[in-house]
Amino acid sequence: MSANYPFSFPEDELMTWQFVIPAHLRASVSFLQFNNSNCAKKEERVEYYIPGSTTNPEVFKLADKQPGNMAGNFNLSLQGCDQDAQNPGILRLKFQVLVQCPQNESNVTYEVDLSNERAMSITIEPRPVKLSRRFVPGCFVCLESRTCSTNLTLTHGSKHRISFLCDDLTRLWMNVEKTISCMDHRYCHRRSYSLQVPRDILQLPVQLHDFSWKLRVPKDRLSLALVPAQKLQQHTQERFCNTSFSYLVAGAGPGQDLYFGSFCAGGSIEQIQVKQNVSVTLRTFAPSFQQELSRQALTVTFIPYFKEEGIFTVTPDMKSKVYLMTPNWERGLPSLASVSWNISVPSDQVAYLTFLKERTGLVCQTGRAFMIIQEQRTKAEQIFSLEEVLPKSRPHHHNFWVNISNCSPVSGKQLDLLFQVSLTWRTLDMTVILIAVVGGGALLLFALGLIICLVKKNRKKKMNKGPAIGIYNGNINTQIPMQPKKFPNVQKDNDAHVYAVIDDTMVYGHLLQDSNGSFVQPEVDTYRPFQGPTEDCPPSFLIPYSKVPTVKLTTEESAPGFNPESDSEPYTFSHPSKQDGSNGNTDIPLLDAHEPAETGE
């Protein structure tokens, strides 16, 4: 302590302390309390005389950071000034000298190059610890190996050489802050920046605690999109982030008290879009974060402005459930704020949206709080009031939106929603399965029937293609049984030539004898005379099964429209239908595709 402490040090006096310290130890000076008097002449100061220093004496103001990491003996002097007679003030000083055994790090100098950085600062400071009454050695950061203090801030635009005088470097950590701003929306549109920690910071022997990027955009002109190299998971009560680091996303502008949440690698969130200025903080929890950080990167892109507070793009998978919650968890979504989730569903899977509580407990003072669930393919919307019961879990077969909009709630009633999305394999409905089975069975029966019909038809064709056996009979009786009339003899010089087509059983009927030697009479075709025109040649073979009507011809009429055919064409006999014998009409319609022309008598 200075002379007369706690009262004023004498005016314009010099007081010196000589410290004798072994050369292998290091000494650091820190001022615990001091006051400056009102000087009329000269200036109050402290001077250090350090053996071997080329800058002796080293002069500091009382408000400056005092030297540290001094090896061996040194002198410290306090110099007063000529005080103002009207208002002299008080000059007093209380300080401490900490002597430590140097660690390996005290002999190593680290260079931190911030000359190419803009709007960036690094602060090295002690971790918060519980107060203890036992002695704790000091932990100092030294700039240029002389200016040592428990707190050190490095600014952008220059290179810094630092060393450490500390018995345990785990008692220190770093907090870094960098601002990325772009106020010209025409220049910034669609520009991207990579949010990565510089190597100069990672090579320092103290742990990085926070690295915060302050992202600023022109108001109501641009918004921001955060895209991670690996999909992110939101830290919730149901699923904690068990990783060595995470990203904290929060509003950064004045009045933007909006905390989007904490996110870590290994989830289903592909993108986070925010409306306005935002702060993205990389927070570490273990020294192993550097190995994991090399596989994780975050890219920010300036995108067109949108009105919602945030939009999350989520792509779930079958491995685990996805838990999502509204921003400002446990503090409530801000009044009149709106947040959306764009949830993707694979084509062969079904998504189930489940809310983890039945009611929100929200009471609106003005406006309405509602939730919209919209299928992106069908554009079908479902609107639910958040003051009522939340919807039950239901399947979604296509990509869908979940939009939550808040009202102005009554004091003490806040909107907090936690929900999950899970995927299952898509299964066919039982009705669809039954219809498919019945339809498939019917199709199979139809195919079998068609095959049977085709086989029978082909077999019949093969049987009909066999050569017909004809027996010529020149003296055949052309009179139809039970019919007195005969065929008109058109050609008087030629006898009527009639061929009767006889079935195989008529020729080989003797093979049908029974055991007694008597014949079993086979069925034979009935003889039927031709009722058409009796010209030199018979009509040509007509197309079978034709349903085109034809004109009937009487026995006295003839159809001159028939062309003569060659002798090689077969004769055809029609089978008359059963008629009453008293009815003398024996006209048989011709099965022709063309209607014969009628001629006058």
Side-chain angles (χ1 to χ4, degrees):
M1 295 178 290
S2 59
N4 289 344
Y5 189 87
F7 302 105
S8 178
F9 183 71
E11 182 180 8
D12 196 19
E13 288 289 342
L14 175 65
M15 183 176 183
T16 301
W17 292 267
Q18 295 179 348
F19 295 96
V20 180
I21 299 175
H24 68 281
L25 300 180
R26 299 292 184 269
S28 300
V29 177
S30 57
F31 289 176
L32 304 179
Q33 185 180 2
F34 66 90
N35 292 92
N36 290 98
S37 61
N38 295 322
C39 295
K41 294 180 180 179
K42 301 182 182 178
E43 186 178 11
E44 298 169 343
R45 63 189 184 275
V46 289
E47 298 178 354
Y48 290 88
Y49 179 83
I50 303 173
S53 175
T54 58
T55 58
N56 286 327
E58 296 185 17
V59 180
F60 296 86
K61 294 181 180 180
L62 274 68
D64 292 341
K65 291 181 179 180
Q66 303 304 307
N69 199 25
M70 294 180 289
N73 303 335
F74 70 95
N75 293 347
L76 170 59
S77 300
L78 172 63
Q79 176 66 58
C81 65
D82 294 334
Q83 299 175 350
D84 185 356
Q86 300 289 334
N87 185 17
I90 297 176
L91 171 62
R92 59 188 175 185
L93 172 63
K94 181 180 180 180
F95 66 96
Q96 77 173 11
V97 176
L98 181 63
V99 180
Q100 294 175 275
C101 182
Q103 306 299 316
N104 294 331
E105 290 79 8
S106 63
N107 297 322
V108 179
T109 301
Y110 299 90
E111 184 175 279
V112 182
D113 187 2
L114 301 181
S115 57
N116 296 326
E117 296 289 346
R118 297 172 55 188
M120 180 176 173
S121 64
I122 302 173
T123 300
I124 303 175
E125 57 189 359
R127 292 171 178 262
V129 294
K130 294 181 180 180
L131 296 177
S132 175
R133 302 186 67 176
R134 67 183 182 87
F135 172 75
V136 178
C139 205
F140 298 96
V141 186
C142 302
L143 181 63
E144 303 297 339
S145 74
R146 273 293 177 264
T147 305
C148 300
S149 63
T150 56
N151 295 273
L152 178 65
T153 299
L154 308 177
T155 57
H156 64 275
S158 59
K159 294 181 180 181
H160 305 276
R161 295 172 59 86
I162 62 174
S163 59
F164 297 91
L165 182 60
C166 185
D167 63 328
D168 184 7
L169 289 178
T170 60
R171 295 167 55 192
L172 298 174
W173 63 16
M174 286 185 295
N175 292 301
V176 185
E177 184 175 303
K178 182 176 182 178
T179 301
I180 299 177
S181 62
C182 193
M183 296 295 107
D184 187 351
H185 68 279
R186 294 169 297 182
Y187 171 76
C188 302
H189 182 64
R190 297 297 180 185
R191 290 185 64 87
S192 298
Y193 297 90
S194 179
L195 305 185
Q196 289 184 328
V197 181
R199 292 185 178 181
D200 284 355
I201 295 176
L202 294 177
Q203 56 98 22
L204 294 176
V206 294
Q207 180 184 340
L208 173 65
H209 176 232
D210 281 352
F211 196 116
S212 297
W213 291 272
K214 307 292 184 181
L215 308 176
R216 307 196 181 279
V217 294
K219 186 177 181 180
D220 300 337
R221 291 283 188 161
L222 293 176
S223 295
L224 296 166
L226 303 174
V227 182
Q230 295 180 355
K231 292 188 290 187
L232 300 175
Q233 165 200 331
Q234 187 170 11
H235 177 84
T236 63
Q237 298 174 350
E238 282 66 25
R239 188 179 180 188
F240 293 96
C241 278
N242 190 20
T243 55
S244 61
F245 71 95
S246 63
Y247 292 102
L248 282 64
V249 183
Q256 291 180 319
D257 185 20
L258 184 62
Y259 177 66
F260 288 94
S262 176
F263 306 90
C264 58
S268 301
I269 300 175
E270 289 190 342
Q271 188 181 74
I272 303 173
Q273 300 180 41
V274 292
K275 179 175 69 172
Q276 285 293 341
N277 299 340
V278 71
S279 171
V280 180
T281 300
L282 170 68
R283 176 162 294 176
T284 66
F285 305 102
S288 60
F289 83 94
Q290 295 193 26
Q291 288 75 25
E292 298 183 16
L293 190 63
S294 61
R295 299 188 300 269
Q296 179 66 45
L298 199 63
T299 302
V300 59
T301 304
F302 293 85
I303 62 175
Y305 176 77
F306 58 87
K307 294 184 178 180
E308 291 182 278
E309 297 298 331
I311 300 175
F312 297 84
T313 302
V314 184
T315 306
D317 55 32
M318 296 285 292
K319 297 179 182 178
S320 60
K321 298 177 181 178
V322 180
Y323 291 92
L324 301 166
M325 61 186 183
T326 53
N328 268 24
W329 182 253
E330 294 182 346
R331 289 185 294 165
L333 191 66
S335 299
L336 307 178
S338 178
V339 185
S340 293
W341 290 263
N342 180 9
I343 302 174
S344 300
V345 181
S347 59
D348 57 347
Q349 298 173 21
V350 179
Y352 285 87
L353 177 67
T354 305
F355 294 89
L356 301 188
K357 59 182 179 180
E358 186 178 357
R359 289 179 175 271
T360 62
L362 178 68
V363 178
C364 290
Q365 184 175 10
T366 58
R368 288 186 57 199
F370 55 88
M371 175 174 58
I372 299 175
I373 300 177
Q374 182 189 53
E375 290 276 357
Q376 297 183 27
R377 181 173 178 179
T378 61
K379 302 298 182 182
E381 287 187 353
Q382 289 183 307
I383 302 177
F384 304 93
S385 174
L386 295 178
E387 296 181 82
E388 301 174 359
V389 178
L390 293 173
K392 300 295 183 182
S393 178
R394 55 163 297 176
H396 296 274
H397 296 80
H398 307 287
N399 300 348
F400 64 97
W401 285 96
V402 177
N403 173 268
I404 295 176
S405 298
N406 196 13
C407 60
S408 293
V410 175
S411 178
K413 301 292 183 180
Q414 301 297 334
L415 177 58
D416 290 311
L417 266 183
L418 175 65
F419 57 93
Q420 71 176 25
V421 180
S422 58
L423 294 180
T424 59
W425 293 110
R426 179 177 295 188
T427 57
L428 293 176
D429 185 67
M430 289 304 298
T431 304
V432 177
I433 295 176
L434 289 176
I435 293 175
V437 170
V438 173
L443 184 61
L444 180 60
L445 292 176
F446 175 76
L448 289 175
L450 184 60
I451 291 173
I452 292 171
C453 291
L454 291 175
V455 169
K456 287 185 176 181
K457 187 174 180 181
N458 290 336
R459 186 177 298 173
K460 188 174 180 181
K461 278 186 176 182
K462 290 180 179 179
M463 292 176 63
N464 292 336
K465 284 183 179 180
I469 300 175
I471 299 175
Y472 178 77
N473 186 358
N475 298 321
I476 189 171
N477 183 9
T478 60
Q479 184 177 357
I480 301 176
M482 303 298 294
Q483 191 80 10
K485 293 184 179 181
K486 296 182 179 179
F487 284 109
N489 189 5
V490 179
Q491 294 180 346
K492 296 181 180 180
D493 298 334
N494 298 329
D495 293 333
H497 295 78
V498 180
Y499 286 88
V501 178
I502 305 173
D503 192 79
D504 293 349
T505 56
M506 296 181 66
V507 179
Y508 303 102
H510 64 281
L511 299 177
L512 301 176
Q513 294 181 358
D514 57 9
S515 59
N516 297 329
S518 61
F519 287 95
V520 179
Q521 297 297 328
E523 294 182 2
V524 297
D525 288 349
T526 304
Y527 172 81
R528 299 185 183 180
F530 178 72
Q531 293 294 328
T534 57
E535 296 180 339
D536 294 338
C537 296
S540 61
F541 181 73
L542 303 177
I543 301 175
Y545 309 113
S546 174
K547 295 185 179 180
V548 179
T550 57
V551 178
K552 295 182 179 180
L553 301 177
T554 62
T555 55
E556 282 87 16
E557 293 176 344
S558 62
F562 289 109
N563 295 327
E565 302 293 340
S566 63
D567 294 337
S568 63
E569 292 188 349
Y571 295 144
T572 302
F573 292 90
S574 300
H575 295 266
S577 60
K578 295 181 180 180
Q579 303 270 351
D580 184 21
S582 62
N583 186 359
N585 183 11
T586 59
D587 298 338
I588 306 300
L590 300 179
L591 302 177
D592 196 354
H594 300 280
E595 191 171 332
E598 295 185 45
T599 57
E601 295 181 356

